[in-house]
Amino acid sequence: MGFAKAAGHLGNKYVGENAEQVSATRVVDFGEAELSTDTNDSGAWWLKIDGFLHSHVNIANPSLLKVPYIRWMSRAVDASAVGSQALDIVHLGGGGMTLPRYFAATRPGSRQCVVEADSALIEFIMEYIPISDECGISVHNEDAEMWLRRTEEDSADVIISDAFADSVTQPAHLRTHGYVSLAARALREDGVYLVNLIDEAPYNFLDSQLGIHASIFKSVHLLAASDFRNKKKPVNAVLVAANWDLNLEAHFASS
C-alpha cells in the first residue's frame, strides 16, 4: 500500500523564528506516538514512541542530525558514496523519516523508498511534518521482509533497516539469516547495508547479529560508543555491511 505524500516543502506551518510550540499524541499500530517541537531548535521536532526517543527531525535544516546513531548512519553512507551523487535508497522502517529528509537535502535526485509497517504512524507524521512531493521519497505501508521478498536483485545502492516491534526490540523475523540475505540480494555490488541495533549487556543479540552478517557480507563494521560494553543500560549500535572493502575506519578516524 502506497501513501500519497502531503503537499508542502520539507516543513510545515510551524517552522520559523516565532514557531508555535506544539505537542501531539496518537495511538498508533505499535504503541503511543508523541510529536513535540524542539524548544531549543526552531523548526525541529522530537518523536517518541511509548516514551522512548525515536527520532529528531529538523524540518528547517534536514542536514542537521542530533541523534548520534542517525549521524553514524549518515556518515557511513557518505563514506561509501562519492560526493553528493544521487542514490537509490531503501529505508526499512520510517519513524519520523529523518534520514530520507537528510538524503533528499544532501543528495538531490536520490530515489528513496520508505517502508513502514505502522500505517497510523505514517498518517501521524504526514499530518504534522509532511514530506514534499518533489523530494523523490515514496512511502509504503508494508512489512520490511515482505518488501524485500519482492524487490528486484541489484536494485539498491543503500538499504537501511531501522524497524522495531516496540521501542527497543526488533521483530523476530527481521533478525534472521534469511532476512539479511534478502537485503544482500537487493543490494548492488557496490552497495551498503546498515541496521540499527539495540542491546544491553552481555550483548548476546548484538554478537549474534555480527555473526550473521559476517557470514553473508565481505565487510562488516560496528559503529557504537567506544565504551558501550561497559554500560548498564541498552545502547544503540549501527552495523554496516558491504560486499566490497568498505573502509570506515579511515572516514571515522577524524571524529
Side-chain angles (χ1 to χ4, degrees):
M1 177 181 179
F3 273 72
K5 300 178 287 297
H9 302 290
L10 283 172
N12 67 7
K13 62 184 178 181
Y14 302 112
V15 175
E17 290 296 323
N18 300 313
E20 174 187 353
Q21 295 303 309
V22 175
S23 179
T25 59
R26 185 167 301 173
V27 175
V28 294
D29 297 341
F30 301 118
E32 183 176 79
E34 177 188 2
L35 273 170
S36 58
T37 49
D38 184 346
T39 58
N40 297 314
D41 194 351
S42 179
W45 292 73
W46 295 104
L47 170 65
K48 294 182 179 180
I49 297 180
D50 292 335
F52 289 87
L53 175 63
H54 194 284
S55 305
H56 182 269
V57 183
N58 192 313
I59 301 300
N61 188 349
S63 65
L64 294 179
L65 304 175
K66 184 169 284 190
V67 179
Y69 91 87
I70 294 290
R71 288 201 303 271
W72 299 339
M73 284 186 162
S74 70
R75 292 189 64 187
V77 173
D78 290 340
S80 70
V82 177
S84 59
Q85 72 182 82
L87 299 172
D88 291 320
I89 306 175
V90 176
H91 304 265
L92 302 173
M97 306 186 199
T98 303
L99 280 175
R101 300 171 200 264
Y102 170 84
F103 291 121
T106 61
R107 295 180 177 274
S110 291
R111 295 160 296 277
Q112 300 190 77
C113 174
V114 178
V115 181
E116 171 58 59
D118 193 324
S119 61
L121 179 60
I122 295 173
E123 292 173 357
F124 189 40
I125 294 300
M126 290 301 192
E127 178 179 339
Y128 281 87
I129 45 176
I131 292 175
S132 168
D133 288 322
E134 292 77 36
C135 289
I137 301 170
S138 62
V139 183
H140 305 266
N141 176 216
E142 190 168 345
D143 174 76
E145 183 183 31
M146 295 303 295
W147 180 271
L148 286 177
R149 286 189 181 282
R150 61 184 183 81
T151 297
E152 294 182 4
E153 293 185 33
D154 306 320
S155 59
D157 298 306
V158 178
I159 298 177
I160 299 173
S161 184
D162 192 3
F164 288 82
D166 55 32
S167 300
V168 296
T169 308
Q170 274 191 311
H173 67 294
L174 304 188
R175 311 178 196 177
T176 67
H177 187 281
Y179 174 73
V180 179
S181 296
L182 288 172
R185 169 184 167 276
L187 276 180
R188 295 189 174 120
E189 184 177 350
D190 58 352
V192 62
Y193 175 64
L194 303 93
V195 55
N196 176 32
L197 302 172
I198 298 179
D199 199 12
E200 58 186 327
Y203 300 102
N204 294 330
F205 169 59
L206 181 59
D207 290 336
S208 72
Q209 288 296 299
L210 284 168
I212 288 173
H213 286 75
S215 72
I216 296 170
F217 289 97
K218 179 178 180 179
S219 175
V220 177
H221 301 263
L222 186 68
L223 305 178
S226 58
D227 62 344
F228 81 93
R229 289 191 181 270
N230 298 323
K231 295 184 181 297
K232 303 298 183 182
K233 296 181 179 180
V235 299
N236 282 95
V238 173
L239 193 153
V240 186
N243 272 321
W244 53 284
D245 292 323
L246 174 60
N247 186 352
L248 287 186
E249 285 83 358
H251 188 78
F252 281 83
S254 61
S255 299

